[in-house]
Amino acid sequence: MQFFIACLPILSVFVFLILLRLPAIKAMPISLAIALACVGIFWKMPSNAIYASMIEGIVLAGTILIILFGAMLVLNTLKHVGALKSIEIKFNHLTQDQRIQTLIVTYGFGSLMEGIAGFGTPAALCAGLLLALGFKPIQAVVLALVADCAAVSFGAVGTPLLLGVGSSLEQFDTMQLNQLASSILMIEFMTGILTSLSLMALIIFVFGKQSITAKLAWNQMFSMVPLCIIANTTFIGVAYLSIQVFNTVEFSSIFGALAMLLVLFVLSYKKWLTPKTVFRLTEFEEKDQTLPLSLTRAATPYALIILLLLISRLEVLPFKRWLIDFKFSLVHIFDTSISVSVSPLYLPGFFFALALFLSLPALKLSIRQYSIEASNTIKQLTLTSITLICAIVLVRLFLNSSINLNQSASMPIVIANSMTSWFPDTWVFFSPFIGALGSFISGSATFSNMMFSQLQFAGAEQLSLDPNKMMILQVIGANAGNMICVVNVVAAASVVGCQGQEGQIIKLTIIPMMIYCLSAASFVLLFFL
């Protein structure tokens, strides 16, 4: 009974979004009401803890909205001044093949953004870029979400491992974390190839023309295998070398993504290892090739975003500490153990807006026009803000349910403990799904690792399994959870204007997520256990 009650908030999200196909603006308030009933009536969560969780959720929703505001402001402004058209024209000069464009934007640029900033930034930015390259909104969101997995282990300058795993398992020192990271990279080399091929399968079989023969479709799929292998080999190889050279996981995704981007650009330009035939979802139109802005001017905001984020994240520079120390905090809300702290100047959304502001001369835009675009962007976020607040309040209630009069564990821990006891012989295959569940619930791989690392480690010892290998599956599963995380889905959908299709998006991303988790479990079983 307790397991069923713990699952109700999650099940309600799936039922309303995927089965009933309700838009998130309707599904999330209903799911929140169900979650309130579960924690209040069945879990006996005190009213002050419920109110504190709601305040915490509203504050955290504000941080996501700042990221969204920055991403949408960049997209809207670049569209207004014609910069996106310039980027599209130059990209099509490099390659008109939308399979290769997807790899470069989502796997290359997306992994770089994950390595530097994380926390939903890659999907929001990459979905906007894919939209500019001619993809439909729902296609752009799905591809951006599916691609954002391989780099997540070391995203936000190593946060999921250093903070997520490191803070939960005291027995893991720097050396053990680095060894864990190296093992994760070995598995991600293989799962990464499968994920990149999943992107190709989505483009060709799901979004592609239905009139082509099955043989031609498979040929178009397999013709991308060499490029996918080279891209993943480059990313994993450089990320591994980064760990060995710097003795830390902080720069792995950044250096790996930069190397992968360079290799993909060179191979695309030289037409090496690229398919002989160009694949497009829509016919390429030979329209006016006059650039509204030079590529240098058009790409200035993105270059500044990378530079500013990198400067703000490096420990060797003083800016990170300064920005984090400027914070807003609520401690022991309503006399509970619940506290929340936000450093607004450290959020990626702040740097999106700042980079755009610094780019005004390059974009030939006035401060007044910038203000108008900012005002219009805020208006666009009205409905999204309601959805996000409901989603994140639900999440905080779920996570804070450990505060209760029944002296029960929190809902996610009850779910995980039940699954461990019910499926001891096949726990290897369920383990990554616990990590994915954590990301789906919390909206963050870091929080998933913080929530479930200790449980995975203890469960492995109890079942006489190698705890280190179960930690590999926890981390990789948490990465996969980003594909279906409601917060990420709502955020990315808002950027490209396809609100109301969140259920359809999750329906398309859940299969690649399952493939990613099951393949990771299979590879760990094959090579490590």
Side-chain angles (χ1 to χ4, degrees):
M1 180 65 176
Q2 194 180 42
F3 174 79
F4 175 73
I5 297 299
C7 288
L8 266 182
I10 300 172
L11 291 174
S12 65
V13 172
F14 273 101
V15 168
F16 294 126
L17 277 180
I18 299 176
L19 298 183
L20 300 182
R21 297 186 179 182
L22 291 180
I25 186 64
K26 294 181 180 179
M28 295 318 299
I30 299 172
S31 298
L32 174 58
I34 292 173
L36 282 167
C38 289
V39 298
I41 298 172
F42 298 101
W43 231 257
K44 304 297 182 185
M45 192 173 177
S47 58
N48 63 332
I50 292 176
Y51 297 143
S53 298
M54 294 175 75
I55 295 295
E56 182 191 21
I58 291 170
V59 172
L60 293 177
T63 66
I64 304 296
L65 287 169
I66 290 173
I67 296 174
L68 270 185
F69 168 77
M72 292 173 66
L73 179 61
V74 170
L75 183 65
N76 292 341
T77 305
L78 295 189
K79 188 184 298 182
H80 175 75
V81 300
L84 287 183
K85 182 181 178 183
S86 296
I87 292 172
E88 178 189 9
I89 291 171
K90 282 297 185 180
F91 226 118
N92 284 323
H93 284 172
L94 177 69
T95 176
Q96 294 176 13
D97 195 313
Q98 290 187 303
R99 295 169 297 179
I100 302 175
Q101 290 178 348
T102 299
L103 271 185
I104 293 173
V105 171
T106 62
Y107 235 56
F109 181 68
S111 295
L112 180 60
M113 286 294 95
E114 181 62 50
I116 297 173
F119 296 100
T121 302
L125 284 181
C126 292
L129 278 174
L130 289 178
L131 189 70
L133 293 173
F135 289 85
K136 293 179 181 178
I138 194 169
Q139 296 170 352
V141 173
V142 169
L143 294 173
L145 288 168
V146 171
D148 186 24
C149 54
V152 175
S153 299
F154 320 103
V157 203
T159 303
L161 275 179
L162 296 176
L163 180 61
V165 175
S167 66
S168 301
L169 298 174
E170 294 179 358
Q171 57 267 52
F172 269 65
D173 57 19
T174 300
M175 182 180 293
Q176 287 175 303
L177 280 175
N178 290 344
Q179 290 173 348
L180 176 63
S182 299
S183 299
I184 289 170
L185 285 171
M186 289 179 61
I187 300 301
E188 284 191 340
F189 170 70
M190 293 167 281
T191 56
I193 293 173
L194 288 177
T195 303
S196 55
L197 290 176
S198 295
L199 290 174
M200 300 304 109
L202 284 167
I203 293 171
I204 296 165
F205 295 104
V206 180
F207 303 141
K209 297 177 181 177
Q210 303 300 316
S211 57
I212 62 174
T213 63
K215 182 180 179 180
L216 180 58
W218 281 107
N219 285 340
Q220 290 169 334
M221 170 89 165
F222 287 119
S223 64
M224 284 295 296
V225 169
L227 205 57
C228 290
I229 292 176
I230 290 296
N232 278 281
T233 302
T234 303
F235 176 80
I236 298 298
V238 173
Y240 179 82
L241 286 175
S242 170
I243 295 173
Q244 305 309 310
V245 172
F246 296 103
N247 196 35
T248 179
V249 301
E250 291 177 309
F251 309 111
S252 303
S253 286
I254 298 173
F255 290 138
L258 284 171
M260 178 168 55
L261 268 175
L262 178 62
V263 167
L264 285 174
F265 273 119
V266 170
L267 293 178
S268 299
Y269 180 75
K270 293 292 187 180
K271 302 294 186 289
W272 293 338
L273 299 177
T274 57
K276 295 179 180 179
T277 57
V278 172
F279 180 89
R280 291 189 64 84
L281 296 172
T282 56
E283 294 296 329
F284 180 72
E285 298 179 11
E286 291 289 350
K287 50 189 175 184
D288 182 14
Q289 298 293 296
T290 305
L291 297 180
L293 289 171
S294 68
L295 182 61
T296 303
R297 289 178 178 271
T300 296
Y302 290 109
L304 285 176
I305 286 172
I306 294 172
L307 179 63
L308 290 173
L309 284 172
L310 197 55
I311 289 173
S312 69
R313 264 64 183 166
L314 293 176
E315 293 282 359
V316 295
L317 299 175
F319 306 111
K320 179 176 181 178
R321 179 49 50 200
W322 295 346
L323 294 168
I324 290 177
D325 285 345
F326 182 81
K327 60 185 176 183
F328 160 74
S329 300
L330 292 174
V331 182
H332 301 307
I333 306 171
F334 296 132
D335 295 323
T336 66
S337 59
I338 299 170
S339 300
V340 64
S341 179
V342 176
S343 299
L345 299 184
Y346 190 68
L347 295 173
F350 168 74
F351 292 101
F352 297 166
L354 177 60
L356 186 63
F357 182 80
L358 295 176
S359 304
L360 291 183
L363 299 175
K364 301 178 182 178
L365 203 65
S366 68
I367 294 177
R368 181 176 177 277
Q369 290 171 308
Y370 176 88
S371 301
I372 292 171
E373 291 294 340
S375 177
N376 291 337
T377 301
I378 290 172
K379 293 176 183 176
Q380 285 180 261
L381 281 170
T382 304
L383 292 179
T384 301
S385 62
I386 298 172
T387 304
L388 278 175
I389 287 172
C390 290
I392 298 178
V393 168
L394 185 155
V395 166
R396 301 323 298 177
L397 287 168
F398 197 73
L399 297 179
N400 293 330
S401 56
S402 57
I403 306 172
N404 61 76
L405 301 178
N406 292 338
Q407 297 184 335
S408 300
S410 66
M411 288 180 166
I413 296 300
V414 166
I415 295 172
N417 279 330
S418 299
M419 292 180 68
T420 307
S421 61
W422 292 344
F423 307 105
D425 297 332
T426 54
W427 181 243
V428 172
F429 289 97
F430 282 96
S431 178
F433 288 99
I434 292 297
L437 173 67
S439 293
F440 172 77
I441 295 167
S442 66
S444 165
T446 299
F447 282 116
S448 175
N449 291 337
M450 291 174 68
M451 191 170 18
F452 290 131
S453 287
Q454 186 64 54
L455 182 144
Q456 294 266 27
F457 196 91
E461 289 183 327
Q462 184 180 346
L463 297 172
S464 300
L465 298 170
D466 186 342
N468 294 323
K469 304 311 177 279
M470 292 302 98
M471 289 310 305
I472 295 174
L473 294 176
Q474 162 60 36
V475 173
I476 290 179
N479 301 352
N482 275 348
M483 299 184 197
I484 58 170
C485 166
V486 175
V487 174
N488 287 353
V489 171
V490 171
S494 300
V495 170
V496 299
C498 62
Q499 298 95 323
Q501 300 183 63
E502 296 87 0
Q504 182 63 20
I505 292 168
I506 294 176
K507 191 175 180 180
L508 290 169
T509 58
I510 196 168
I511 295 177
M513 183 276 291
M514 294 178 71
I515 292 172
Y516 193 81
C517 288
L518 290 173
S519 62
S522 300
F523 291 134
V524 165
L525 199 61
L526 185 63
F527 294 107
F528 289 117
L529 294 179

